[in-house]
Amino acid sequence: MQTRGYAATAADTPLAPFAFDRRTPGDRDVHVTIEFCGICHSDIHFTKNEWGMTTYPAVPGHEIIGRVAKVGKDVKRFTQGQRVGVGCFVNSCRKCGSCRGGHENYCELGPIMTYASVEPDGVTHTFGGYSRDIVVDEHFVLNIPEGLDPAGAAPLLCAGITTYAPLRAVGLTKGSRVAIMGLGGLGHMGVKLAASFGAEVTVFSRSPEKEADARRLGATEFVLTNNPATLEALAGRYDAILDTISAKHDLSAALNCLKPHGTLILVGASPEGVEFNPFPLLFGGRKIVGSLVGGIPETQEMLDHCGKHGITSDIEMIGPDQINEAYGRTLRGDVKYRFVIDCTKF
Ligand code: NAP
Ligand code: ZN
Ligand code: ZN
């Protein structure tokens, strides 16, 4: 099936228009006509081959919203015209313990990612949502609650679930104290979601101009991280810290801000890694955990939660010809707080 989109053909060249084939839809497949796709910082790491695993041509995009164009004869949960979402992965083994437990994101054979993977046939490369159409097994297609703005809902498929799943997993609830590090695409969703759970939210940021936004999004405190003494004064204060920073940094000062047994959740995927001093971990039995998006059942749970609470992402809509400029602006921190591509213009 022919479709079109934007692809990177090398690490150091701009993305450009690209025509390609999707697989022919099978009996259990949903053909989605894509309306909107968010730009995640992972798309940027990936197209620039910062993780050293990119194959070209690369069509990024895993915050996908669209309408069902057609369904295969065995599809049960979707009908033509319905609004749906597709997130970071499009298949998994469905037999291992993780898959059976609804954690397809941790499939023991490795999930098949929306881009940068090979389909179960072993030869077809997956291409992401910077495109007009996608074909996905119905198990990996999500329902989008009525009433949510569809463009603002696109980033929920990655930024939303990546912050929702670990904040739920650490048991964040009414009265918990949480800090969100880095107010970007993930960070701003983390603030909104943590606040919706009733937690007391602080933003740790290097950008003083974001303070008013942090408070509008639901934070009650804003801490500038540029001065180490500021964090020293917050020692032992937080139940959890969600670290969304996209570049190399040192975790030690933040670790020291956790209560005893508190958890720092690392979701940022810095290509150069992170650093930390062991002492704040040892004293207080604090923990660092990692988290990768979320399973299909919890992604649907997150979408339903957002539907109930009216939560979407703060977005700036762009056309395909602005993708390269949007990458540059995201890298400069000049985005409030997610670029979303109007995919009807591909
Ligand atoms: P983003 O919109 O660019 O936000 C990243 C934020 O980190 C920036 O807004 C900035 O916040 C802070 N930051 C950036 N560079 C920094 C530096 N050198 N030092 C200190 N702070 C810095 O990116 P995003 O889309 O939210 O993604 C964030 C990271 O999460 C990326 O690495 C991405 O690949 C990763 N990711 C992981 C998962 C997962 O499943 N684990 C899913 C999606 C994305 P302030 O200006 O407020 O300091
Ligand atoms: Zn992402
Ligand atoms: Zn599996």
Side-chain angles (χ1 to χ4, degrees):
M1 195 186 80
Q2 265 277 303
T3 190
R4 55 195 185 279
Y6 259 52
T9 48
D12 52 0
T13 54
L15 281 80
F18 177 61
F20 60 105
D21 283 322
R22 295 285 188 190
R23 69 162 191 272
T24 305
D27 293 344
R28 288 173 13 186
D29 283 334
V30 180
H31 168 189
V32 180
T33 304
I34 303 176
E35 299 172 295
F36 304 107
C37 184
I39 293 183
C40 176
H41 203 119
S42 299
D43 301 348
I44 303 177
H45 291 311
F46 175 70
T47 52
K48 295 184 181 300
N49 198 20
E50 290 174 356
W51 295 323
M53 50 172 263
T54 307
T55 52
Y56 297 98
V59 178
H62 54 208
E63 294 185 333
I64 300 168
I65 293 276
R67 288 208 187 263
V68 175
K70 215 170 168 195
V71 295
K73 73 174 173 50
D74 297 336
V75 169
K76 305 218 166 31
R77 294 164 42 236
F78 300 99
T79 53
Q80 197 182 355
Q82 195 175 337
R83 185 160 266 133
V84 293
V86 178
C88 297
F89 50 94
V90 288
N91 220 325
S92 68
C93 85
R94 296 196 241 171
K95 295 192 182 87
C96 73
S98 295
C99 284
R100 280 188 282 111
H103 298 289
E104 301 89 340
N105 48 325
Y106 300 129
C107 174
E108 289 159 30
L109 301 184
I112 294 180
M113 308 306 284
T114 306
Y115 57 83
S117 277
V118 177
E119 299 259 18
D121 64 10
V123 288
T124 312
H125 284 266
T126 58
F127 291 119
Y130 295 9
S131 62
R132 194 67 185 104
D133 306 89
I134 192 164
V135 177
V136 182
D137 184 294
E138 80 160 325
H139 181 82
F140 297 87
V141 179
L142 286 307
N143 261 300
I144 302 302
E146 292 286 328
L148 282 184
D149 167 55
L156 300 179
L157 277 309
C158 175
I161 185 60
T162 299
T163 51
Y164 179 95
L167 292 175
R168 278 290 197 224
V170 295
L172 208 67
T173 179
K174 196 168 172 54
S176 307
R177 252 193 225 143
V178 65
I180 308 289
M181 286 173 77
L183 195 65
L186 263 56
H188 94 292
M189 287 313 308
V191 172
K192 290 190 187 201
L193 289 164
S196 77
F197 302 157
E200 211 180 278
V201 186
T202 299
V203 167
F204 286 4
S205 169
R206 60 180 177 162
S207 310
E209 71 282 2
K210 293 183 182 172
E211 176 162 4
D213 281 341
R215 294 185 189 280
R216 175 180 56 77
L217 294 164
T220 51
E221 285 180 71
F222 181 86
V223 174
L224 260 186
T225 48
N226 304 347
N227 178 0
T230 326
L231 292 185
E232 270 166 37
L234 299 171
R237 192 172 159 81
Y238 299 97
D239 297 287
I241 296 178
L242 179 72
D243 182 350
T244 75
I245 294 173
S246 52
K248 186 172 186 174
H249 59 291
D250 194 305
L251 308 179
S252 312
L255 284 171
N256 197 48
C257 296
L258 288 167
K259 290 180 186 172
H261 300 291
T263 305
L264 184 140
I265 308 154
L266 198 55
V267 291
S270 159
E272 295 87 25
V274 292
E275 290 173 339
F276 62 90
N277 179 320
F279 283 91
L281 276 189
L282 310 187
F283 286 85
R286 297 163 171 124
K287 298 181 280 289
I288 301 176
V289 302
S291 191
L292 181 78
V293 290
I296 291 295
E298 59 192 338
T299 304
Q300 191 61 59
E301 177 189 301
M302 175 276 306
L303 288 164
D304 295 344
H305 175 87
C306 289
K308 196 166 147 203
H309 295 267
I311 297 172
T312 52
S313 173
D314 287 19
I315 65 157
E316 185 175 334
M317 184 93 81
I318 58 165
D321 57 347
Q322 294 167 285
I323 291 172
N324 294 300
E325 184 192 334
Y327 273 29
R329 284 184 54 194
T330 302
L331 290 171
R332 292 193 296 277
D334 176 21
V335 47
K336 293 199 166 169
Y337 277 88
R338 201 54 138 186
F339 287 109
V340 169
I341 305 162
D342 179 351
C343 297
T344 64
K345 301 207 168 123
F346 278 120

